[in-house]
């Protein structure tokens, strides 16, 4: 992730929050229950403060992945933790107070899940210079702040390869929330992955907004319309990077015959789809927030945290693709050949369209 201007950051803050969220599980207990993760306070390792993005645990995306990284820290680093969830449409001051409350309670390090916390971490970290802070997808600056960022274009490249190998129509599609530096890398990587397999394959793209509208990432109706148009035009595989809107794609594809596919984003969306949707979810482009959060906690324990940007790319297993459902079993060796070329540098996934 490249540093963006403060003006650009403000313009896309809400969009990124939503882009990182999938549908929240109505029963939080099904994903562990937020009171269960941090119930045991007996560990002698790092005391991790976890400030969730909107939706909290049970969102099947960023928050759950961050919680999984903390859970691994409890198991392997003898850590303890405390969770705190953001409220929809809360003021920035609430985010600041959430971080301060964790710091005042002695939690260290503190992990803020989502770009939305960037400015608040910038401010609060100065007040607690003895604490270490991490921001998932952040761009904060300070001697005690680490930004956990991801090469999403590489994961998108791999699902593009998958689409290129599995399409029968030689025609695939992409649905993006909004144009800009956050979603363009998903689209660019996907398009390049398809072309790496067969440059003659047609790639159609639909954007739910071209004006930075945050509502584009919470518009399943718009995604339904876009998905319907793409499938009707002949695409047999559609990849989305549109946050909550992606549910509209899954709803549409679940009505299609066998051999018509959708591709999820960030988490393994097969795992949280309905049985009818699962039949059509070919793969998902993965952003391994759990890996990054655990690594940060381990670095804290080892005294090796560093300020700035900690980039999780294909070499660090920070991005990848899902194989749930077994739909890629016949082409996995071929996809992994492209993965190896990304790791070696023989291939480069573009981040710009």
């Amino acid at each position: 992730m490249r540093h963006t201007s403060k003006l650009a950051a403000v313009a896309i803050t809400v969009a990124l929050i939503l882009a990182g969220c999938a549908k929240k599980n109505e029963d939080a207990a099904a994903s562990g229950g937020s009171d269960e993760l941090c119930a045991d306070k007996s560990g002698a390792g790092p005391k991790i403060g976890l400030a969730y993005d909107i939706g909290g645990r049970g969102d099947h995306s960023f928050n759950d992945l961050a919680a999984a990284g903390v859970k691994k820290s409890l198991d392997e680093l003898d850590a303890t933790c405390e969770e705190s969830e953001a409220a929809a449409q809360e003021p920035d001051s609430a985010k600041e107070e959430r971080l301060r409350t964790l710091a005042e309670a002695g939690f260290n390090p503190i992990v803020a899940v989502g770009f939305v916390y960037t400015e608040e971490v910038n401010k609060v970290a100065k007040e607690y210079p003895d604490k270490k802070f991490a921001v998932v997808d952040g761009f904060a600056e300070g001697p005690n702040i680490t930004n956990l960022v991801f090469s999403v274009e590489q994961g998108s490249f791999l699902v593009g390869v998958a689409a290129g190998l599995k399409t029968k129509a030689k025609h695939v599609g992409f649905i993006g929330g909004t144009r800009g530096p956050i979603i363009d890398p998903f689209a660019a990587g996907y398009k390049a992955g398809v072309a790496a397999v067969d440059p003659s394959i047609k790639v159609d793209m639909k954007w739910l907004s071209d004006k930075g509208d945050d509502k584009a990432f919470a518009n399943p109706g718009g995604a339904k319309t876009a998905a319907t148009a793409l499938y009707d035009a002949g695409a047999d595989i559609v990849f989305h990077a549109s946050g909550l809107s992606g549910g509209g794609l899954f709803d549409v594809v679940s009505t299609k015959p066998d051999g018509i596919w959708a591709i999820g984003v960030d988490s393994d969306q097969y795992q949280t789809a309905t049985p009818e949707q699962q039949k059509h979810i070919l793969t998902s482009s993965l952003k391994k927030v759990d890996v990054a959060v655990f690594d940060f906690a381990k670095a804290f324990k080892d005294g090796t945290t560093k300020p700035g940007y900690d980039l999780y790319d294909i070499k660090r297993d920070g991005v990848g693709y899902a194989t749930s459902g077994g739909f890629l079993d016949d082409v996995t060796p071929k996809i992994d050949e492209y993965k190896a070329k990304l790791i070696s540098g023989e291939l480069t996934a573009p981040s710009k369209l």
Side-chain angles (χ1 to χ4, degrees):
M1 173 181 270
R2 296 178 174 83
H3 181 73
T4 59
S5 69
K6 183 174 181 179
L7 180 60
V10 170
I12 59 179
T13 293
V14 177
L16 184 60
I17 301 167
L18 293 168
C21 292
K23 184 179 180 180
K24 182 179 174 66
N25 187 352
E26 292 179 357
D27 181 4
S31 61
S34 59
D35 60 335
E36 296 180 7
L37 178 65
C38 299
D40 185 355
K41 304 295 185 183
S42 64
K47 295 182 62 177
I48 304 170
L50 185 56
Y52 286 124
D53 195 352
I54 294 170
R57 192 138 60 91
D59 72 342
H60 305 305
S61 190
F62 273 16
N63 292 313
D64 279 353
L65 290 170
V70 171
K71 176 62 167 61
K72 186 176 180 181
S73 301
L74 305 184
D75 295 341
E76 299 186 18
L77 305 177
D78 199 26
T80 58
C81 64
E82 185 68 40
E83 302 169 286
S84 185
E85 183 176 331
Q89 299 181 333
E90 68 180 11
D92 292 344
S93 59
K95 297 177 181 62
E96 290 181 18
E97 287 308 308
R98 180 172 301 110
L99 298 171
R100 287 193 187 96
T101 297
L102 291 169
E104 287 291 339
F107 290 95
N108 191 19
I110 295 171
V111 178
V113 185
F115 184 95
V116 64
Y117 281 101
T118 293
E119 294 298 337
E120 287 67 42
V121 168
N122 267 337
K123 184 174 182 179
V124 176
K126 293 176 182 177
E127 302 170 12
Y128 300 92
D130 58 330
K131 308 285 186 182
K132 300 294 186 182
F133 292 79
V135 190
V136 176
D137 273 336
F139 71 104
E141 297 179 350
N144 56 336
I145 302 172
T146 303
N147 298 284
L148 306 176
V149 295
F150 302 84
S151 294
V152 297
E153 67 276 8
Q154 293 178 328
S156 299
F157 184 97
L158 294 179
V159 299
V161 168
L165 293 170
K166 296 293 286 189
T167 181
K168 303 299 184 184
K170 301 299 180 182
H171 185 177
V172 301
F174 173 83
I175 298 173
T178 186
R179 291 295 309 269
I182 302 304
I183 303 302
D184 282 4
F186 289 94
Y190 177 67
K191 184 177 181 180
V194 173
V197 174
D198 182 351
S200 72
I201 296 173
K202 184 178 181 180
V203 182
D204 280 342
M205 295 193 174
K206 298 283 188 183
W207 301 89
L208 302 184
S209 172
D210 59 1
K211 300 178 181 179
D213 181 5
D214 58 280
K215 294 180 181 179
F217 296 94
N219 183 11
K224 282 185 178 182
T225 299
T228 299
L230 289 168
Y231 291 127
D232 285 352
D236 58 357
I237 302 174
V238 177
F239 171 40
H240 90 92
S242 60
L244 292 167
S245 300
L249 166 64
F250 297 150
D251 286 343
V252 171
V253 78
S254 68
T255 68
K256 299 297 181 181
D258 291 348
I260 305 299
W261 303 102
I263 297 176
V265 71
D266 290 342
S267 63
D268 183 355
Q269 296 199 293
Y270 176 93
Q271 296 295 335
T272 54
T274 68
E276 286 303 313
Q277 292 170 347
Q278 285 181 330
K279 297 175 185 177
H280 298 273
I281 298 182
L282 181 65
T283 180
S284 295
S285 177
L286 303 178
K287 181 188 290 187
K288 300 186 180 181
V289 175
D290 54 333
V291 173
V293 169
F294 173 77
D295 285 356
F296 176 71
K298 186 176 187 302
F300 175 84
K301 184 174 184 178
D302 296 341
T304 58
T305 59
K306 295 180 180 179
Y309 292 89
D310 196 3
L311 177 64
Y312 280 80
D313 60 8
I314 197 78
K315 293 181 181 179
R316 296 183 67 185
D317 194 33
V319 294
Y321 70 99
T323 58
S324 295
F327 304 126
L328 295 182
D329 287 354
D330 58 328
V331 296
T332 295
K334 190 66 176 179
I335 299 171
D336 287 343
E337 289 179 14
Y338 285 92
K339 180 179 177 179
K341 291 179 180 180
L342 287 175
I343 292 172
S344 70
E346 183 178 345
L347 287 176
T348 301
S351 59
K352 295 182 179 181
L353 285 169

